[in-house]
Amino acid sequence: MSDWLHNLPVPLMALVIFGFTYLLAAAVFVSVALVATEERAKALKAISPGMLPVLGIIFGLFVAFTAAQVWGDSDRAGAAVSREASALRSAVLLAAGLPAEQEAKLRGLVRDYVGQAVAVEWPEMAHQEASLKATPPALAEALQLVVTMAPQGRAQETTQHEIVAALEQALDARRQRIIVSLASVNSVKWWCLYLQALCELLVIGFVHCDNRLGSAIAMGLFATGVATSVLLIAAHDRPFTGQISISPEPLRQIMPEAPGGTELIAPAGSLRR
């Protein structure tokens, strides 16, 4: 599935997928009608109707295995974004135990990191172009700031350790969301899915070659099921791409306000746009 299809609104994506699937079913119907002459119809009717449930079950297994991958990727992506937002929020709250100058600097670095993630990394993840090669400068500087700090007393020492742990957790969550952003259903799986559907359509046409109306209705119903399954998978295929995708809203909600502003404390909202 190409980028342009994944970035379509769901109604347009549905139109493309349903249109292609119905076109495939129509092509099979016409082909069988042309082939099933009086001489060949008897041979085609000899194909056992018992093949229909077998092929249908195989197609259902293909859909189930593909959907399981998609749901797993989506769940991991949502969990990574939530974990990243929670870790950054913890770092910001714990920063209150630092000296005022260091607290302000740490909050500013977290704000810069969130801004960079929303403005740069999210569009890159949508196009599967995000990379793990570069460490976010703001988060790296925040870690260096806290690690090199000379704690004054046991309380600040504990705060330092907790902030370092929170920042490391945020870095790990970022790595996870970028890795998941590169996941998608590969072309081999899509081809196999439609090839199995084509086999089922052919057998439907052969079994009902002497009943054009019944064949058309059966093919239409099966094509609708195929298109519905493909639409459901394609709409959720890439966790950070398309209308149904994971948004950076949790990161926006924990983003510290600029100096002089009032920080908005709100629970992380829905991960879906």
Side-chain angles (χ1 to χ4, degrees):
M1 291 283 181
S2 59
D3 281 346
W4 73 268
L5 181 61
H6 282 100
N7 284 288
L8 288 176
V10 173
L12 289 180
M13 183 185 293
L15 183 63
V16 172
I17 292 174
F18 274 81
F20 174 77
T21 307
Y22 286 142
L23 183 62
L24 178 65
V28 172
F29 177 80
V30 172
S31 300
V32 172
L34 293 175
V35 171
T37 59
E38 292 183 5
E39 297 79 11
R40 298 194 184 96
K42 187 176 181 180
L44 294 177
K45 282 288 293 180
I47 296 176
S48 172
M51 290 186 65
L52 290 174
V54 174
L55 291 173
I57 290 172
I58 295 174
F59 178 79
L61 289 174
F62 281 6
V63 171
F65 290 144
T66 306
Q69 173 195 331
V70 171
W71 306 153
D73 291 340
S74 181
D75 289 343
R76 286 194 296 139
V81 174
S82 294
R83 193 157 59 92
E84 183 179 10
S86 297
L88 291 173
R89 183 59 177 164
S90 296
V92 170
L93 292 176
L94 289 168
L98 302 178
E101 182 180 352
Q102 292 175 324
E103 177 189 1
K105 188 171 183 180
L106 180 61
R107 290 170 62 90
L109 290 171
V110 171
R111 182 171 60 253
D112 293 343
Y113 168 74
V114 172
Q116 191 266 345
V118 172
V120 178
E121 290 188 349
W122 241 261
E124 289 179 346
M125 290 191 300
H127 296 286
Q128 295 190 313
E129 297 174 350
S131 174
L132 292 172
K133 292 182 179 179
T135 302
L139 211 54
E141 188 177 346
L143 265 173
Q144 185 178 8
L145 170 70
V146 179
V147 169
T148 57
M149 181 188 75
Q152 304 295 321
R154 186 64 179 271
Q156 283 192 7
E157 183 178 351
T158 302
T159 300
Q160 180 187 34
H161 291 161
E162 293 296 327
I163 292 176
V164 169
L167 294 177
E168 288 178 342
Q169 185 179 5
L171 274 172
D172 180 66
R174 172 186 176 269
R175 285 192 291 267
Q176 291 300 317
R177 68 169 162 81
I178 289 179
I179 290 172
V180 178
S181 74
L182 301 175
S184 64
V185 177
N186 60 54
S187 58
V188 175
K189 293 180 180 179
W190 286 120
W191 278 108
C192 289
L193 197 64
Y194 263 105
L195 182 58
Q196 184 64 29
L198 178 61
C199 291
E200 179 79 1
L201 288 170
L202 284 170
V203 174
I204 292 174
F206 293 154
V207 171
H208 299 284
C209 63
D210 58 344
N211 184 348
R212 300 287 175 81
L213 180 59
S215 178
I217 293 174
M219 284 188 181
L221 290 173
F222 182 72
T224 301
V226 171
T228 303
S229 301
V230 172
L231 174 63
L232 189 63
I233 294 172
H236 297 84
D237 181 14
R238 300 181 183 179
F240 296 96
T241 305
Q243 183 178 354
I244 303 176
S245 62
I246 296 173
S247 78
E249 187 59 27
L251 292 181
R252 289 196 189 101
Q253 291 190 5
I254 60 90
M255 185 176 183
E257 291 290 331
T262 302
E263 183 180 357
L264 175 63
I265 300 177
S270 172
L271 293 178
R272 296 282 176 179
R273 282 200 298 266

